[in-house]
């Protein structure tokens, strides 16, 4: 049966499996087909912890991935539940890759360079705030393991900051939660 092309984009006369084996080679396919997910990893942290550090310290949200290609990029995502006392703590977060801060603000005088920050609002000692962020790194340049961490610090105030719980745990209606970090290797 002959192929027929209708004006509406329909092709008739071609049956499933109607092409002989080997007639389409990789050179016939579109180039520039990067951007595909090569691997995906996720870590869930369901315990809780706190910190009063005014220097960057690691949260328990750490994930390592070994790229399949040095040209790959990494898509990093997290959801983190944090809390603190109303008007007594400012909490800053930053991402690191192999120990170096990434996805932080440009230098601006003496201001804190962070990925994001949280200042607890009214009733945050009884509830937590879920902070979500995601971004694409540049090419990793290596096929060695890449370790991503989420760090935090108290950048002002005098009380502790809390992960996966509220500051006030004095009542059975106070929540506890789970925080997550994920990384996806994206082909170039």
């Amino acid at each position: 049966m002959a192929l027929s092309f209708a004006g509406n984009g329909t092709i008739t006369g071609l049956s499933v499996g109607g092409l002989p084996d080997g007639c389409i080679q990789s050179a016939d396919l579109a180039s520039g087909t990067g951007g595909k997910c090569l691997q995906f990893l996720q870590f869930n942290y369901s315990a809780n912890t706190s910190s009063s550090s005014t220097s960057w310290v690691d949260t328990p949200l750490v994930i390592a991935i070994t790229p399949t290609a040095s040209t790959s990029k990494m898509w990093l995502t997290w959801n983190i539940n944090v809390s603190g006392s109303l008007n007594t703590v400012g909490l800053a977060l930053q991402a690191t890759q192999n120990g170096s801060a990434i996805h932080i603000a440009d230098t601006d005088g003496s201001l804190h360079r962070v990925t994001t920050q949280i200042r607890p609002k009214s009733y945050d000692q009884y509830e937590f705030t879920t902070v979500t962020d995601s971004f694409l790194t540049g090419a990793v340049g290596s096929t060695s393991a890449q370790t991503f961490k989420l760090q935090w610090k108290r950048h002002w105030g005098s009380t502790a900051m809390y992960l996966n719980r509220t500051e006030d745990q004095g009542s059975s209606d106070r929540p506890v939660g789970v925080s997550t970090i994920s990384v996806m290797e994206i082909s170039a």
Side-chain angles (χ1 to χ4, degrees):
M1 175 181 223
L3 292 180
S4 174
F5 298 91
N8 64 2
T10 304
I11 302 174
T12 58
L14 179 63
S15 61
V16 175
L19 298 176
D21 286 344
C23 73
I24 297 178
Q25 304 296 315
S26 61
D28 297 324
L29 301 175
S31 62
T33 57
K36 300 204 179 335
C37 175
L38 300 177
Q39 58 179 317
F40 176 83
L41 299 173
Q42 180 172 301
F43 171 68
N44 297 315
Y45 181 74
S46 58
N48 61 66
T49 190
S50 64
S51 176
S52 295
S53 178
T54 55
S55 299
W56 291 114
V57 293
D58 295 344
T59 69
L61 295 172
V62 177
I63 196 162
I65 188 169
T66 302
T68 58
S70 62
T71 55
S72 294
K73 296 180 179 183
M74 299 294 169
W75 182 263
L76 188 66
T77 302
W78 69 77
N79 297 300
I80 183 171
N81 299 306
V82 293
S83 72
S85 292
L86 172 63
N87 293 324
T88 60
V89 65
L91 156 63
L93 296 167
Q94 80 173 2
T96 67
Q97 180 177 359
N98 299 328
S100 297
I102 57 173
H103 194 62
I104 59 173
D106 294 337
T107 301
D108 188 0
S110 62
L111 299 178
H112 293 270
R113 297 177 66 207
V114 303
T115 300
T116 192
Q117 70 89 35
I118 300 97
R119 179 178 179 185
K121 305 292 185 216
S122 180
Y123 297 105
D124 272 2
Q125 67 267 30
Y126 309 116
E127 302 169 350
F128 49 69
T129 300
T130 301
V131 179
T132 300
D133 199 358
S134 60
F135 60 92
L136 187 65
T137 69
V140 293
S142 169
T143 54
S144 298
Q146 304 292 303
T147 301
F148 295 93
K149 297 180 180 183
L150 191 57
Q151 296 182 322
W152 61 348
K153 74 175 181 175
R154 188 183 76 212
H155 71 94
W156 67 268
S158 58
T159 60
M161 49 202 174
Y162 299 90
L163 176 65
N164 287 343
R165 61 159 274 193
T166 61
E167 179 213 13
D168 182 338
Q169 291 288 291
S171 176
S172 62
D173 67 343
R174 303 297 188 254
V176 293
V178 61
S179 294
T180 303
I181 187 169
S182 307
V183 64
M184 183 183 328
E185 181 183 4
I186 306 293
S187 65

